[in-house]
Amino acid sequence: MGAIRLQVAIAILAIALLIAVMGYLAFQVTTVIVPAVGGTYIEGVVGNPRTINPVLCHTNPVDQDLCALLFTGLTRANEKGEIVPDLAERWDISDNGTAYTFYLRPDVLWHDGAPFTADDVVFTVNTMQNPGFQGVPYLSELWRTVVVERVDTYTVRFILREPFAPFLDYTTVGILPVHILGSTPVEALAESQFSAVPVGTGPLQVAEVSARRILLVANPHFYRSQPYIERVEFRFYPDEAAVFAARSRGEVDGIAHVLPEYLRQVGQDDGLTLYSAPLSGYNLVYLNLDRGIFQDRAVRQAMLWALDREKLVDEILDGQGVVLHSPILPHSWAYDPDVPKYGYDLRKAKTVLEEAGWFDDDGDGVRERGPLKLEFTLVTNEDDPLRVRLIYAISEQWAAAGIHAIPQTVSWEKLVGQMLRLRRYDAALGSWQNLPPDPDLYPYWHSSQVSEDGLNFANYMSEQADRLLEDGRSTHHREERIELYRRFQELFAQDVPSILLYQPVYNYAVESEVRGIQVGPMIDSSDRFRTFSGWYIATQRMLYSEARQKGLMRPR
């Protein structure tokens, strides 16, 4: 009888244990780990803030990083380069493309709790229009041609002199608070207390500031998704080596910028995750089309065929670049994936040159045609070791096709101020950086920009290209612009007015415990925070159905 009772007890215990296990498994299956609010992220950056003001921050990366988290604009650019609403809920564009009416969100508060209104927008624009404005020239040049009107508390209108499709790019600039800065002279903005301890509308706000660090905390008034991470601290260091030394001491969780020479060190740090994203810009060899040898399109095409750009990226940049085939970057909505492409083909390069009458008759290794010799200087700035290595490698590759490029290095000031600006060069290795989301190429390739103040350094003159670029910036209809820029990219590939090389890659490293980071094309380094609200450190377990209902099953 006792044995039977023992067997019954064991059976009951086994059943209870089975039920508990099944219940636990069911809980595990029906619940998920989701982000939770909490945690502190500490990032090491090179340099110090100078002017934490969204209309004055463009020349200092540290200021740009901080402004990206502290301020917001009427609009913002997404990962596709499309302009989407931010402080504005929506906007209308008049039929003639000269009037933009923005309807503002009524639920936005400044960090100090004051309401955001159209008065702040008007004040910000008036600041950039003021003769005393000390920000980058392109902001004031554009805004001084625009009339800004306060329609009502939450509506503002901009009137342009003529249609200008890239205008929406300029509405991404952060807005300033008139209730704080309204009485501050524009000339004094940079030195004001506000530029050291600013008040904005962004997801974070300033809590503490010192010479070595700045602490930001979550903005309780933020109108979009509240960030999960409650505190972000930036610590300032004199150079990259100091940042990595701080990481080895456990002082920082993230490294704002990882240069190629530090990639191996990051790989040896088991606690770091490396994130890479293409930057909005490209490196190229400008060709001065006023030079006789470069006026032959066959020469320019052969120069591209003779260049192994993948090898340059792999061997000199350690793979930190994307070979380009168009001056419109691949992530842009206007990029044509079917644009004609030039791969490395030395035989084709030689054939193209010979069909155009370029031969090495005297056997000196350099081709000539009549009195013209396929020989020129290839210059870049001497203070950039990477560029110096590139011009020597490029020269070696071209030599194999009978093209003699003579490497030359000069100071940055001479390269830009005397050679590029005055067009006193043959070929020059340079770059365009921080290109805006809009694919407007007018400033760089339109013939009207062949002047000391223009940016068409190659002296590219094409009536067909001019028409396409003019029409592309004068219509705001997306499909029309896509077709116009498709035709321009095709023409650019045929003409090869300069030699496109690669789009640079930006690397940053973050402690592996920080999750939810999404990478995408970046205009500048501050774009690494584009999805900051979705970053998280703390987690919690939640029923699957509840997590899905709260939208926690996908990045915010």
Side-chain angles (χ1 to χ4, degrees), residues 53-56 58 124 126-141 143-144 176 186-187 189:
N53 181 313
V55 302
L56 300 174
H58 298 86
T124 303
N126 287 341
T127 296
M128 293 184 287
Q129 293 174 333
N130 192 291
F133 179 64
Q134 298 174 345
V136 290
Y138 74 82
L139 278 181
S140 57
E141 289 169 1
W143 284 110
R144 284 171 187 165
L176 297 171
V186 172
E187 298 85 347
L189 277 180

Side-chain angles (χ1 to χ4, degrees), residues 349-370:
K350 293 178 178 179
T351 299
V352 168
L353 288 171
E354 289 168 3
E355 289 177 349
W358 294 89
F359 296 93
D360 180 17
D361 292 328
D362 57 9
D364 65 349
V366 182
R367 295 177 183 270
E368 58 272 328
R369 188 177 66 184

Side-chain angles (χ1 to χ4, degrees), residues 294-333:
F294 296 141
Q295 290 175 6
D296 186 345
R297 186 166 65 179
V299 169
R300 305 194 301 269
Q301 291 177 342
M303 292 173 72
L304 202 44
W305 287 118
L307 209 54
D308 190 343
R309 294 176 290 171
E310 291 286 358
K311 184 178 180 180
L312 294 175
V313 168
D314 290 341
E315 294 186 356
I316 298 181
L317 277 73
D318 292 325
Q320 302 307 298
V322 179
V323 171
L324 284 186
H325 304 283
S326 164
I328 293 180
L329 299 176
H331 66 268
S332 171
W333 51 263

Side-chain angles (χ1 to χ4, degrees), residues 191-270:
E191 291 76 31
S192 68
Q193 179 65 14
F194 179 89
S195 291
V197 188
V199 172
T201 52
L204 299 180
Q205 61 188 44
V206 177
E208 299 175 21
V209 180
S210 71
R212 298 188 59 187
R213 61 188 281 272
I214 184 170
L215 176 64
L216 312 180
V217 298
N219 170 17
H221 308 302
F222 193 50
Y223 53 91
R224 285 195 271 118
S225 298
Q226 282 285 326
Y228 291 117
I229 297 177
E230 290 185 308
R231 297 158 60 93
V232 175
E233 183 178 330
F234 287 84
R235 294 189 181 176
F236 312 126
Y237 298 92
D239 51 40
E240 283 79 8
V243 175
F244 276 89
R247 170 63 188 174
S248 67
R249 297 191 299 268
E251 292 180 6
V252 300
D253 304 315
I255 299 170
H257 189 195
V258 179
L259 298 176
E261 55 264 37
Y262 289 98
L263 289 174
R264 179 173 297 180
Q265 191 169 338
V266 170
Q268 295 171 348
D269 189 329
D270 295 334

Side-chain angles (χ1 to χ4, degrees), residues 520-536:
M522 298 164 55
I523 297 174
D524 55 48
S525 63
S526 68
D527 266 357
R528 67 187 183 278
F529 297 120
R530 182 189 290 129
T531 61
F532 173 75
S533 289
W535 295 19
Y536 65 94

Side-chain angles (χ1 to χ4, degrees), residues 77 80-83 169 172 280 331-333 435-440 523:
K80 297 178 182 179
E82 299 167 326
I83 303 300
D169 273 4
T172 62
S280 186
H331 66 268
S332 171
W333 51 263
L435 295 179
D438 193 274
D440 177 37
I523 297 174

